[in-house]
Amino acid sequence: MSPTADPAPVRIAMWSGPRNISTAMMRAFENRPDCTVSDEPFYAAYLAATGIDHPMRDEVVASQPTDWREVAAAMLGPVPDGRPVWYQKHMTHHMLQAFGRDWMDGVANAFLIRRPETVLASYGAKREAVDLADIGFVQQAEIFDRVADRLGRAPPVIEGVDVSAAPRATLSALCAACGIPFRDEMLAWPPGRRVSDGVWAPHWYHAVEASTGFGPPRAEVAFDDLPEHLKPIAEAARPAYEKLRVHRLV
């Protein structure tokens, strides 16, 4: 009798903008014993290509490959630790137009969304300068369209507030859409920093380092409560957000 080949690993590329619950989602998947995670693998390539100034820029650039081709090849290469599930946390604004996207055809793409007002209010508290490209809404819609066109259907979309309000139901729906079983371990995790966290964790991850699970949904920020200079950015981001929100798993 010929030996049975091991099933191909499930590579989940989760596409989110900044200041969502993207790191908490990474914690949930990393707490599965069958899963390994990668934290924003295109970050250094993005910084190197744009020259943009981000907190801890030098440390980020030194910590990862700066050639997008090398990163893309790694996302399709051997799974770290040889586990059957690989959760890749990606930021949509890192995927510059000059970066090839064909590699996305080799992963299960999913999308994590949040209202632009709430994203901008949170982002502004961490980094003073911000424009539409920084928060990734337009890029997220572009990637969504590419994946949907290839699949002939909408890929899975979840909203952060839905995960916080009903983590078991929302994560169960996401896992089913990605072809893996839900596991209870995804609902809680020990506090603290992880070896898998990017070197930028000291600046961005204070809240998630103190967390042990998904807390109740935080209050959403109203458009009128945004500073005036952020309101045009919220308006410009809204069509992309609404486009994906129609397809969210509920």
Side-chain angles (χ1 to χ4, degrees):
M1 180 181 295
S2 60
T4 302
D6 291 334
V10 177
R11 306 164 192 266
I12 301 171
M14 178 60 79
W15 295 99
S16 170
R19 311 315 295 164
N20 205 328
I21 61 166
S22 58
T23 309
M25 286 290 297
M26 185 173 68
R27 288 284 190 273
F29 273 87
E30 189 171 23
N31 212 47
R32 297 174 60 115
D34 62 349
C35 184
T36 192
V37 302
S38 292
D39 192 9
E40 302 183 26
F42 284 93
Y43 196 177
Y46 161 79
L47 291 178
T50 61
I52 195 170
D53 184 25
H54 268 208
M56 302 184 69
R57 172 191 163 84
D58 291 344
E59 292 88 342
V60 176
V61 171
S63 71
Q64 295 176 323
T66 56
D67 186 337
W68 70 264
R69 299 169 188 83
E70 183 178 349
V71 181
M75 297 302 97
L76 301 178
V79 178
D81 303 321
R83 294 181 181 173
V85 180
W86 186 0
Y87 184 87
Q88 303 170 4
K89 172 194 167 193
H90 293 293
M91 292 287 106
T92 55
H93 61 291
H94 292 171
M95 195 51 49
L96 301 172
Q97 289 294 336
F99 292 1
R101 300 185 178 184
D102 287 349
W103 69 271
M104 297 177 189
D105 297 346
V107 298
N109 296 278
F111 296 82
L112 174 65
I113 61 173
R114 192 182 193 188
R115 291 179 67 247
E117 291 88 348
T118 310
V119 169
L120 284 163
S122 180
Y123 191 95
K126 289 288 187 177
R127 184 168 178 258
E128 184 175 352
V130 58
D131 61 25
L132 181 61
D134 290 329
I135 56 174
F137 281 80
V138 173
Q139 301 95 315
Q140 189 176 45
E142 291 173 352
I143 296 169
F144 177 88
D145 284 344
R146 186 190 191 283
V147 175
D149 287 346
R150 182 179 64 84
L151 295 177
R153 57 176 172 79
V157 178
I158 58 171
E159 185 152 22
V161 67
D162 292 333
V163 179
S164 297
R168 179 182 295 274
T170 309
L171 293 177
S172 294
L174 173 64
C175 288
C178 294
I180 62 173
F182 169 78
R183 299 198 53 152
D184 286 336
E185 294 95 333
M186 300 178 72
L187 299 178
W189 52 83
R193 193 166 297 169
R194 303 285 186 276
V195 173
S196 55
D197 290 348
V199 297
W200 52 88
H203 183 82
W204 298 100
Y205 290 179
H206 297 115
V208 79
E209 287 173 4
S211 71
T212 57
F214 295 103
R218 296 181 180 180
E220 297 288 347
V221 176
F223 179 80
D224 289 342
D225 292 336
L226 281 178
E228 287 302 317
H229 73 284
L230 295 181
K231 289 181 178 178
I233 303 174
E235 291 284 23
R238 195 176 324 282
Y241 164 74
E242 295 291 352
K243 179 177 187 173
L244 269 68
R245 190 173 188 271
V246 170
H247 300 286
R248 80 192 200 279
L249 301 174
V250 293

